[in-house]
Amino acid sequence: MTEKSKQIEGRTGPWEIVLGLEVHAQVASNAKLFSGAAVGFGAAPNAQVSLVDAGMPGMLPVINRHCVEQAVKTGLGLKAQINLKSHFDRKNYFYPDLPQGYQISQYKHPIVGEGEVIVEHDDGSTFTVRIERLHLEQDAGKLLHDQDPNATHVDLNRAGTALMEIVSMPDMRTSEEAAAYVKKLRTILVYLGTCDGDMEKGNLRADVNVSVCRPGDYEKFRETGSFSHLGTRCEIKNVNSYRYIQAAIEYEARRQIEILEDGGKIDQETRLFDPTKGETRSMRSKEEAHDYRYFPDPDLLPLDLDPAWVKRIEATLPELPDAKKARFQSQYGLSAYDAQVLIGEQARADFYEAAAQGGRDAKLTANWVTNDLAARLTAGGIEIENSPIHPDSIAELVQLIEEGVISSKIAKDVFERMWNGEGRANDIVEKQGLRQVSDTGELEAIIDKLIADNPGQAAQVAEKPQAIGWFVGQVMKATAGKANPGVINQMLKAKLGG
């Protein structure tokens, strides 16, 4: 991606966007960060609330060891520094769904320090997003405004749930890059098993920091590290889809450019994105760290991690997306594009590997998994792990094509019948009489009759080789599409010299 393609033309000249994201990922855990209350979507309001979560006097938080382990695992997956010593702080602010009157978070001493994520552009090129930090904190509850015309209800089921806040450096320059970064980050978290990545349920959501500057200013920032070269940023809270992330950034960048070109200044503030109107609106002025009066939580000891424990966690890490992509390319000979599509979802990658076992044609198998099967699953709203067609069935279909038993065209019909529950590929081919005709004796009789009946067409082939296609079509028609196209072509060329 060129620097020019990152520019937005304004009335007074070009501008560039600078983006940093704070991604909130709900930790995959059965209990909350500081209480034993259950975590889960769909429970009745206030059914999963302990006395700690409700902020009752005298209740003391107790750290959930599993949540700490999940944060360490995530840090390792992000190639980040694991801080063996960290501590929890109180972030003081009032909100109706925050019963304690403060959030237990981490400020100066987070559990995970600097790391990086390598992100793919659509064209296959990559860029690196630096991770500034990852810290653990409690989620707040939820306000329900649609239950009563005269009151707002509070549901504390989510209060106290463990979140990992993953803070990036301002390394993204377009809305597409921001969406691609969140997508890659989600893939890594799902592979690690530290977050389920369900954006619809709010288990993964992003706060997007947007500012604009003139061309050349961002390079000065990267050279000096001084934010004075960048514009004033606005934070768009809780955006929970890739499409909304892009739309929010594009609207917000234009809004800021118009203000600056009219001679105004950008107020640092927190904004919300309204997806129905496709615009951002002001929520509140942006607080600074001192506004929250951070101080170490007096009820919690500092976290002191044993290096050997961290090493044991590292030893349990699964094969992560970048490593899997490289292996798919080397082991199966796939293109970078095909490998990227397959590893984008862990379940899809696992399905592919199961189908490709036994030496099946890797590219052909990938095509069936990412095209025909994927299209059917998407249309039916079905996850690949619940696919009615299993990996060994795809492998069987590919084998029939490889061995010339059926053509690629007949395979489409067989696949549709498999999808409709008519059985396995082999059984369908036999039952429906779909086996490809490769018997040269049978085909020769058909071809000889066609040539005899159409001498004019046959004579044209010598002068115009592409005219042989008419004969191929006629043979396919005569065999109800079951003739082997490769065999037909060879025989016709031998007889007609095409």
Side-chain angles (χ1 to χ4, degrees):
M1 185 174 284
T2 64
E3 289 305 315
K4 191 123 182 118
S5 67
K6 294 177 182 176
Q7 294 179 2
I8 298 175
E9 280 302 323
R11 296 194 315 274
T12 61
W15 296 83
E16 293 181 352
I17 310 176
V18 181
L19 304 163
L21 272 69
E22 297 161 18
V23 173
H24 294 83
Q26 182 174 308
V27 176
S29 170
N30 293 327
K32 296 185 180 179
L33 184 54
F34 298 113
S35 84
V39 173
F41 188 81
N46 298 306
Q48 297 175 326
V49 186
S50 76
L51 296 175
V52 174
D53 310 322
M56 293 297 167
M59 294 297 104
L60 296 177
V62 178
I63 188 73
N64 182 335
R65 179 189 178 95
H66 178 68
C67 292
V68 175
E69 184 175 338
Q70 293 284 64
V72 170
K73 188 183 280 190
T74 303
L76 292 168
L78 298 175
K79 303 177 208 151
Q81 172 68 40
I82 305 301
N83 296 324
L84 298 178
K85 294 187 184 297
S86 64
H87 64 67
F88 289 96
D89 301 280
R90 288 188 181 181
K91 182 180 182 181
N92 296 274
Y93 64 97
F94 172 78
Y95 214 65
D97 59 5
L98 193 69
Q100 293 162 312
Y102 57 84
Q103 178 190 41
I104 302 177
S105 182
Q106 294 185 305
Y107 177 44
K108 287 190 174 174
H109 302 284
I111 191 167
V112 176
E114 294 181 358
E116 66 176 29
V117 176
I118 297 168
V119 188
E120 294 74 20
H121 286 296
D122 287 341
D123 64 4
S125 61
T126 61
F127 63 100
T128 300
V129 176
R130 295 168 297 160
I131 301 296
E132 181 185 330
R133 56 187 279 145
L134 176 156
H135 63 259
L136 278 169
E137 65 183 21
Q138 299 169 303
D139 204 350
K142 186 178 181 183
L143 297 180
L144 306 172
H145 303 290
D146 56 355
Q147 309 290 307
D148 188 310
N150 302 310
T152 292
H153 291 212
V154 181
D155 179 7
L156 296 179
N157 279 349
R158 209 169 61 187
T161 299
L163 293 180
M164 296 179 288
E165 181 171 333
I166 303 165
V167 182
S168 84
M169 294 295 284
D171 289 352
M172 288 149 280
R173 311 299 311 287
T174 67
S175 63
E176 291 82 5
E177 285 188 351
Y181 162 70
V182 176
K183 193 170 189 178
K184 181 61 176 286
L185 189 59
R186 178 188 176 277
T187 302
I188 293 170
L189 295 175
V190 172
Y191 268 67
L192 288 166
T194 56
C195 174
D196 68 11
D198 194 326
M199 299 179 80
E200 282 186 30
K201 292 176 184 170
N203 296 352
L204 187 78
R205 52 194 193 265
D207 296 344
V208 186
N209 290 287
V210 183
S211 68
V212 296
C213 64
R214 291 294 192 181
D217 287 346
Y218 181 77
E219 285 67 32
K220 291 175 188 170
F221 157 71
R222 289 300 296 261
E223 286 167 17
T224 63
S226 172
F227 283 87
S228 64
H229 297 291
L230 302 181
T232 302
R233 64 188 168 88
C234 291
E235 180 182 44
I236 307 164
K237 291 289 287 186
N238 291 331
V239 193
N240 69 339
S241 86
Y242 307 128
R243 188 161 55 90
Y244 292 167
I245 286 169
Q246 289 192 232
I249 289 168
E250 285 158 20
Y251 175 87
E252 180 60 22
R254 280 282 175 199
R255 185 189 74 85
Q256 292 184 20
I257 289 168
E258 285 178 19
I259 290 171
L260 292 169
E261 292 194 322
D262 286 342
K265 73 179 187 68
I266 305 301
D267 294 322
Q268 185 170 327
E269 62 180 351
T270 300
R271 298 179 69 84
L272 289 174
F273 177 66
D274 184 337
T276 55
K277 294 183 178 176
E279 61 188 34
T280 64
R281 63 172 186 270
S282 183
M283 181 183 174
R284 60 174 183 263
S285 61
K286 177 66 180 166
E287 297 87 352
E288 300 290 352
H290 61 258
D291 294 319
Y292 290 117
R293 200 168 60 89
Y294 281 100
F295 62 85
D297 193 294
D299 295 330
L300 289 161
L301 289 168
L303 274 180
D304 194 349
L305 306 182
D306 180 356
W309 185 64
V310 174
K311 279 286 181 194
R312 286 198 297 274
I313 294 172
E314 189 170 15
T316 69
L317 291 183
E319 183 181 42
L320 291 170
D322 290 343
K324 194 180 286 289
K325 179 183 176 182
R327 181 171 65 80
F328 275 23
Q329 288 180 256
S330 62
Q331 182 176 336
Y332 298 108
L334 295 175
S335 67
Y337 174 81
D338 284 338
Q340 183 60 42
V341 172
L342 287 167
I343 65 98
E345 292 288 343
Q346 189 174 28
R348 188 190 303 138
D350 292 345
F351 187 105
Y352 169 75
E353 286 225 82
Q357 282 175 0
R360 296 280 65 80
D361 183 307
K363 170 62 176 170
L364 191 55
T365 305
N367 287 347
W368 279 99
V369 173
T370 60
N371 296 332
D372 299 75
L373 182 63
R376 271 300 198 166
L377 292 170
T378 300
I382 303 168
E383 298 295 331
I384 196 165
E385 47 265 57
N386 300 320
S387 171
I389 297 178
H390 299 145
D392 60 339
S393 297
I394 292 291
E396 188 178 294
L397 183 65
V398 170
Q399 185 175 3
L400 291 172
I401 300 167
E402 280 186 273
E403 294 175 353
V405 176
I406 58 174
S407 65
S408 295
K409 185 176 180 183
I410 292 172
K412 299 275 187 188
D413 179 37
V414 174
F415 177 83
E416 287 302 313
R417 291 173 181 274
M418 289 165 64
W419 182 268
N420 292 328
E422 293 183 33
R424 297 178 66 89
N426 258 321
D427 298 336
I428 291 167
V429 169
E430 295 306 325
K431 192 189 294 181
Q432 301 297 328
L434 298 173
R435 187 175 283 270
Q436 189 166 236
V437 179
S438 297
D439 182 337
T440 54
E442 185 181 338
L443 292 175
E444 190 165 26
I446 296 170
I447 290 169
D448 287 345
K449 186 172 187 310
L450 272 169
I451 293 171
D453 292 347
N454 300 278
Q457 295 274 39
Q460 282 184 27
V461 174
E463 303 165 18
K464 201 172 168 187
Q466 60 264 42
I468 206 168
W470 181 84
F471 284 96
V472 174
Q474 292 301 307
V475 176
M476 293 300 286
K477 191 174 175 184
T479 58
K482 289 187 284 186
N484 185 321
V487 174
I488 301 171
N489 267 291
Q490 284 177 1
M491 293 178 72
L492 282 167
K493 282 176 182 175
K495 289 178 180 290
L496 297 173

